[in-house]
């Protein structure tokens, strides 16, 4: 199918817009722009530029089966103005949009256009909010293009245009899309409707938008009726409008900033604008039980992320916070709705509540509610006397005065929020039959004096103000209290998924180069990346790592290099925040570590109250920094169990406990037995033990835990030395190679160059061929090789190394005499890194194996250039690559001029028969050279 667009009647571009913008990056389109010089344009592709040169430009919408011809009018060609194609359908009423001639058979958007005409201003706002998330997703892949059109049409100002572009570049397309929709909802109604019409005109080039508009057209009439009913139920009498306005202004002022405790800065509390710092969380419409969470905690790095995304599409249904009460209206229910949102400590429950209140106060969500009243259970704990609901509200919102009697008359328009049920010291048991039989345990009306727990109970159960809605948040610890409650919607906060993680770092740092550097550091470390689903851990990470990337005169040697160093900072932050709550931090961590080690040894990550009692551990704020609560369902009865937020935290605390015992005389025996275990359960634990033997890692913990026993440190170092030597001698089997790699990790974590020299100083062969290596493994290997001068063979063939891993290895490659890198996906960019090693004036490489690495003619040129500066090479294997006749001049130079080259293998490349003969004939000019090239 083909759609032909005749672009006519466009006004001049606003001065702040670029000469042209991409049309639809999501569809792979390009923009035609008159007067753009050829040398200024990018390669035509996703979001690229292409000059018209006075002729019709042609765009192809990739994957959509559409080809779009753009014909600028004579006036536009003469004026040299830009042409865009994101408009559809001539608007004879004067809208400055493009007219179109359609030649495909796509149905017109009659139903959506009709829906827009039928919507009044408030209904269109409700419609925008109702479909907001889907609309954000529909336009985010073409963000620059959409905001360009809105600015071109003068619906967006220069400042708004630049804000969206900046947010998109600073954060992500999702962040830019979210800001764009925020701006749309704040527009006056007439402009908002014009923007919607603009979206309709764009739909052909944005598949998700087209799908969304179709759904809106089909559901629109029903939604309008629902909005009408909601509006009728929320209409305020004139005398209540002033107090509502005062209430919204008060809540907006209370929630517009976000206060966060700091621990590495001069300020004790740092204050941010909520909208600048709030990163969207993933909420699912269910509460996971222990089994699912247990599987998640056992996954690491990319496996963890893939697990979450997979289950979001299966067991979990992702919902928006505004969907918690989506169907609440007078026409739907007279009894109201109660929702419960669960989440582990630090996952963002309280901040989510703050955002909900702020969004209601600013008119973005829940406009079916006339009033929202938000309470924290920790504040309710301070109330000792019986009181009425009226007194409870007036204590927090005194400006309601004597107006509350009027407020009660429409309970369907009320939303009560109670945050952190797990912190409440009062007794609320929805399974307690006495509440139904004994009136003193109920609160029948807002003027009735009773316990605060009775007020909360009666609101949730719709016995007080029936028709109102209630939102309760809690840790899983207290979810069992709600088992018998009348909860309509159960939800759980999962935290950050996918790009939401990156957005947190982007919003935290004003300097985006710092944000990118810190996030890159986290993402490259699979353990830290796994933890970053939790906002609290993200906060610890930015506090821990931020100073190392922001201080102007920082010591680069102090930047944490190992996972042990980073976890020491992580634990230090917890100790500084919560360590003063307990008498003996060392003793509590020792007992917690003993429990953690038992779990590692028995492959158990789930602990019960009985385990806490066994190790003399008492629940506390300090302990909850290490343990989180999970739901366990057995015979329909919910109980709570505990787990560390991630398996590696359990492994680190278990390792730390080995250094908190005064004299651990049997530590070497324990380490030998753990290393001998074949199923890998102790791998990370042993890395942490080796790392904690380094003063560079452990020094920061001494402020709270005291000195580590010197004898224990010496015994650990002796054990590492023995196992590295033994591992380097036994690499014939895959299991032996795996054990060697683990021992090299121990050496790396210890950060002891003298130990590395002593253990690898006499090693001549390091063979890891066939063992998959991550970029972290490559960094470890590079670190331990650098102090060594005796390695003759480094075999890394078939290790699935790519450019990122080779970059980590780069500083050590020149140290060996024989380097085997065959059967890795290196490509020409990887060969540049090898070439850099060959150019090193201390390079010792004599035999270089680059079989089947994706080498092309371009890479061969760079390789030959590097070898011309390196006279040591004697053998070169380039078989099974993609060399063609174009690489012959470079190979000729190599063969004829390299003094010591004895063998070169060129089998299975793409040479012509003529070139093969030519290369073979060059041997005559180089006596002693053996050139292998088949087919001659």
């Amino acid at each position: 199918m083909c759609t032909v667009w005749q672009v006519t009647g466009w006004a001049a571009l606003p001065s702040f817009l670029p000469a042209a913008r991409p049309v639809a990056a999501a569809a792979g389109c390009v923009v035609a722009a008159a007067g753009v010089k050829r040398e200024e344009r990018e390669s035509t592709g996703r979001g690229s530029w292409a000059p018209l040169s006075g002729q019709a430009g042609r765009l192809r919408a990739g994957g959509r089966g559409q080809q779009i011809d753009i014909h600028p009018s004579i006036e536009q060609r003469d004026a040299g103005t830009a042409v865009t194609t994101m408009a559809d359908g001539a608007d004879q009423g004067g809208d400055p949009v493009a007219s179109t001639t359609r030649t495909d058979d796509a149905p017109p958007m009659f139903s959506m256009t009709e829906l827009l005409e039928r919507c009044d201003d408030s209904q269109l706002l409700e419609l925008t909010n109702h479909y907001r998330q889907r609309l954000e997703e529909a336009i985010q892949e073409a963000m620059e293009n959409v905001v360009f059109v809105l600015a071109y049409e003068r619906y967006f100002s220069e400042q708004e245009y630049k804000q969206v572009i900046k947010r998109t570049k600073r954060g992500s397309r999702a962040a830019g899309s979210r800001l764009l929709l925020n701006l749309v909802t704040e527009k006056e109604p007439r402009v908002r409707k014009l923007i919607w019409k603009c979206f309709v005109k764009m739909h052909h080039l944005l598949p998700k938008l087209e799908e969304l508009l179709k759904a809106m057209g089909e559901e629109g009439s029903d939604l309008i009726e629902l909005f009408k009913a909601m509006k009728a139920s929320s209409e305020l009498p004139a005398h209540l409008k002033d107090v509502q306005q005062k209430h919204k202004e008060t809540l907006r002022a209370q929630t517009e900033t976000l206060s966060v405790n700091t621990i590495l800065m001069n300020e004790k509390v740092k204050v941010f604008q909520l909208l600048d710092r709030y990163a969207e969380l993933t909420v699912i419409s269910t509460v996971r039980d222990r089994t699912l969470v247990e599987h998640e905690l056992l996954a690491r790095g990319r496996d963890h992320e893939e697990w979450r995304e997979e289950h979001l599409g299966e067991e979990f249904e992702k919902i928006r916070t505004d969907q918690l009460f989506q169907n609440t209206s007078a026409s739907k229910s007279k009894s109201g709705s109660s929702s419960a949102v669960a989440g582990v400590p630090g996952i963002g429950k309280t901040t989510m509540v703050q955002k909900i209140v702020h969004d209601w106060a600013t008119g973005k969500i829940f406009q079916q509610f006339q009033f929202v009243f938000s309470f924290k259970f920790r504040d309710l704990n301070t109330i000792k006397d019986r009181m009425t609901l009226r007194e409870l509200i007036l204590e927090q919102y005194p400006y309601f005065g004597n107006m509350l009697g009027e407020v009660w008359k429409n309970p369907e328009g009320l939303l009560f929020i109670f945050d952190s049920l797990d912190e409440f010291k009062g007794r609320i048991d929805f399974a307690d039959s006495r509440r139904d039989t004994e009136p003193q345990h109920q609160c029948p009306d807002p003027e009735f004096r009773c316990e605060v727990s009775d007020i909360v109970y009666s609101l949730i159960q719709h016995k007080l103000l029936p028709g109102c809605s209630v939102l309760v948040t809690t840790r899983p610890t207290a979810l069992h209290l709600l088992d018998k409650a009348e909860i309509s919607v159960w939800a759980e906060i999962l935290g950050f998924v996918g790009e939401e993680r990156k957005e947190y770092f982007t919003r935290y740092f004003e300097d985006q180069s710092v944000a990118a550097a810190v996030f890159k550091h986290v993402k490259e470390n699979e353990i830290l990346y796994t933890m970053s689903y939790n906002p609290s851990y993200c906060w610890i990470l930015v506090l821990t790592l931020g100073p190392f990337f922001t201080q102007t005169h920082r010591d680069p040697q102090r930047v944490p290099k190992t996972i042990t160093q980073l976890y020491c900072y992580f634990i230090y932050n917890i100790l500084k925040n919560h360590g003063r709550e307990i008498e003996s931090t060392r003793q509590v961590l020792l007992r917690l570590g003993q429990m953690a080690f038992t779990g590692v040894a028995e492959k158990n990550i789930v602990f019960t109250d009985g385990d806490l009692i066994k190790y003399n551990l008492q629940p506390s704020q300090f302990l909850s920094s290490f343990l989180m609560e999970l739901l366990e369902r057995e015979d329909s009865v919910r109980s709570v169990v505990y787990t560390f937020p991630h398996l590696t935290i359990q492994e680190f605390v278990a390792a730390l406990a080995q250094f908190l015992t005064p004299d651990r005389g049997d530590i070497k025996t324990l380490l030998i037995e753990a290393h001998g275990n074949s199923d890998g359960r102790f791998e990370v634990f042993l890395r942490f033990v080796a790392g904690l033997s380094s003063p560079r890692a452990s020094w920061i913990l001494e402020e709270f835990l005291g000195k580590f026993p010197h004898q224990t440190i010496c015994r650990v170092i002796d054990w590492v030395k023995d196992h590295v030597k033994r591992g380097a001698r036994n690499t014939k089997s895959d299991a032996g190679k795996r054990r060697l790699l683990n021992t090299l990790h121990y050496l790396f974590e210890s950060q002891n160059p003298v130990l590395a020299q002593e253990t690898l100083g006499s090693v001549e062969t390091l063979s890891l061929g066939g063992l998959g290596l991550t970029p972290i493994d490559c960094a470890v290997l590079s670190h331990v090789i650098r102090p060594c001068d005796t390695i003759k063979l480094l075999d890394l063939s078939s290790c699935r190394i790519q450019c990122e891993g080779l970059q980590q290895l780069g500083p050590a490659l020149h140290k060996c005499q024989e380097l085997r890198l065959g059967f890795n996906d290196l490509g020409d960019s990887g060969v540049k890194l090898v070439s850099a090693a060959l150019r090193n004036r201390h390079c010792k490489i004599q035999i270089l194996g680059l079989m089947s690495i994706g080498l092309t003619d371009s890479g061969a040129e760079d390789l030959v250039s590097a070898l011309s500066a390196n006279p040591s090479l004697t053998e070169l294997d380039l078989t099974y690559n993609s060399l063609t006749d174009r690489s012959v001049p470079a190979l000729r130079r190599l063969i004829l001029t390299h003094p010591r080259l004895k063998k070169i293998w060129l089998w299975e490349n793409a040479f012509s028969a003529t070139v093969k003969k030519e290369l073979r004939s060059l041997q005559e000019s180089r006596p002693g050279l053996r050139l292998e090239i088949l087919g001659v």
Side-chain angles (χ1 to χ4, degrees), residues 461-531:
Q461 295 297 82
H462 314 301
K463 299 179 184 299
L464 172 60
L465 297 175
C468 74
S469 295
V470 182
L471 171 63
V472 181
T473 72
T474 180
R475 293 182 184 181
T477 317
L479 264 179
H480 66 282
L481 297 174
L482 297 171
D483 265 351
K484 302 297 183 181
E486 294 184 14
I487 301 296
S488 306
V489 176
W490 296 90
E492 180 185 353
I493 301 178
L494 278 189
F496 298 140
V497 174
E499 285 295 302
E500 293 167 349
R501 303 170 189 240
K502 181 180 180 181
E503 185 180 347
Y504 183 96
F505 291 81
T506 298
R507 285 175 175 265
Y508 178 82
F509 295 103
E510 293 182 5
D511 185 337
Q512 290 308 292
S513 63
V514 174
V518 174
F519 182 70
K520 181 175 183 290
H521 193 92
V522 170
K523 194 168 185 179
E524 286 177 349
N525 191 303
E526 60 178 356
I527 294 173
L528 295 183
Y529 186 66
T530 307
M531 290 169 53

Side-chain angles (χ1 to χ4, degrees), residues 568-587:
C568 284
Y569 277 99
F570 174 80
I571 299 299
Y572 171 82
N573 290 341
I574 294 176
L575 296 176
K576 191 160 188 175
N577 267 336
H578 303 298
R580 294 179 179 85
E581 299 173 4
I582 54 177
E583 290 185 9
S584 176
T585 307
R586 187 181 182 112
Q587 282 302 310

Side-chain angles (χ1 to χ4, degrees), residues 597-604 614 681-682:
F597 177 78
T598 301
V600 173
E602 297 176 358
K603 298 186 75 171
N604 174 41
K614 178 181 177 182
R681 72 182 70 180
F682 289 108

Side-chain angles (χ1 to χ4, degrees), residues 806-827:
L806 194 62
Q807 195 166 16
Q808 298 288 346
L809 283 164
L813 293 178
H814 69 281
K815 302 282 292 186
C816 55
Q817 295 179 23
E818 181 175 353
L819 177 61
R820 297 179 186 173
L821 293 172
F823 299 100
N824 290 298
D825 186 17
L826 304 180

